[in-house]
Amino acid sequence: MKYKDYQNIEIMEHPLIKHKITMLRNKETKTAEFRSLVEEIAMLEAFLALQDLPLRDVETETPIETCMSPVIDGKKLAIVPILRAGLGMVNGIHAMVPTAKVGHIGLYRDPETHEPREYYCKLPENINDRLVVVLDPMLATGGSAAAAVDFIKERGGKHIKFMCIIAAPEGLERLAKAHPDIEIYVGNLDRCLNEQAYICPGLGDAGDRIFGTK
Ligand code: PRP
Ligand code: URA
């Protein structure tokens, strides 16, 4: 389903994604299960988000004859998790496209201003030739996602998608306005942000829940 008039924002409707997000939200869900759910949701979202992945034909011998048959050109894909919580989505994508290259962008939100602060950026080479999929389970104010896309563009990235599990309307609109040329995939659109810029109802702090730090 498209969000409002934005043709580049896709809100997922698949019941498996909705079900797993409900399990993620539950405050009783423990770290190991939380991590598995994040991976599974990333894998399911990838079905839709990666439907235009480039293919190349390879010669394949079947028991009957030899034919040319398509395989995914995984070397053309770069996945870029925003640290820390985006790391939780990497294995889900890698399960489908093991040859995808991985870059990392380290950002954290300033606790006072909620604006992103960069501490790390390492991207695969030839980023301009790749489809770049930025991963972060949470799109709250949108500051981290917009900054991550800025970094990728500054380094030559052109074809960029952003994939998240839960978004707030405020962040979704900020990202879409800052980067109208990227495609955005959202597992669920939540109600709003609270005074601390946490998503409501949300799932709490994704990084802490994935890595068991609280
Ligand atoms: C969380 C989350 C996003 C960001 C979203 O990371 O993983 O990166 O907040 O918020 P925003 O849309 O308002 O920028 P956090 O800054 O808590 O860092 P962490 O992943 O290291 O815990
Ligand atoms: N980051 C999170 O992990 N959760 C939120 O609700 C907002 C930002």
Side-chain angles (χ1 to χ4, degrees):
M1 179 180 70
K2 297 293 177 203
Y3 174 68
K4 294 187 179 170
D5 290 335
Y6 292 89
Q7 289 311 304
N8 59 331
I9 300 180
E10 186 67 36
I11 314 280
M12 308 281 168
E13 289 179 281
H14 200 291
L16 286 172
I17 295 178
K18 299 299 182 195
H19 176 88
K20 288 177 192 294
I21 289 176
T22 300
M23 295 166 79
L24 273 188
R25 291 191 197 281
N26 188 336
K27 64 180 187 185
E28 303 301 332
T29 299
K30 302 277 186 296
T31 302
E33 190 188 357
F34 192 92
R35 229 179 359 245
S36 302
L37 286 163
V38 168
E39 271 184 42
E40 289 164 12
I41 294 167
M43 201 185 300
L44 292 166
E45 288 193 19
F47 268 108
L48 191 62
L50 300 183
Q51 62 189 348
D52 58 352
L53 264 191
L55 293 168
R56 66 189 162 84
D57 281 337
V58 294
E59 194 173 278
T60 305
E61 241 178 275
T62 80
I64 310 298
E65 61 178 38
T66 299
C67 65
M68 296 303 287
S69 196
V71 293
I72 283 167
D73 200 352
K75 293 199 180 80
K76 294 266 162 66
L77 176 66
I79 48 180
V80 180
I82 300 178
L83 308 180
R84 295 174 296 167
L87 286 173
M89 298 172 77
V90 170
N91 286 351
I93 314 289
H94 255 164
M96 312 273 231
V97 193
T99 51
K101 308 289 181 203
V102 185
H104 296 88
I105 293 181
L107 292 170
Y108 70 91
R109 295 199 312 177
D110 183 294
E112 301 294 323
T113 64
H114 307 133
E115 283 303 306
R117 297 273 174 83
E118 184 198 355
Y119 59 89
Y120 189 75
C121 183
K122 176 90 180 167
L123 301 177
E125 53 189 21
N126 304 326
I127 201 74
N128 51 318
D129 287 338
R130 301 177 189 278
L131 166 62
V132 183
V133 182
V134 182
L135 306 174
D136 195 325
M138 309 306 276
L139 182 63
T141 65
S144 304
V149 175
D150 281 337
F151 295 142
I152 293 166
K153 286 184 175 174
E154 281 161 18
R155 287 159 177 83
K158 290 187 181 66
H159 187 189
I160 301 169
K161 299 184 185 223
F162 177 82
M163 202 190 287
C164 67
I165 295 181
I166 293 182
E170 297 91 326
L172 192 53
E173 297 198 12
R174 175 171 172 181
L175 179 61
K177 287 193 175 112
H179 297 290
D181 54 321
I182 71 167
E183 290 156 51
I184 304 170
Y185 296 88
V186 177
N188 197 75
L189 181 64
D190 275 19
R191 195 176 69 251
C192 62
L193 297 176
N194 67 14
E195 311 77 62
Q196 287 79 44
Y198 272 86
I199 301 175
C200 304
L203 49 73
D205 187 305
D208 282 341
R209 295 196 66 188
I210 288 169
F211 295 106
T213 37
K214 246 185 207 154

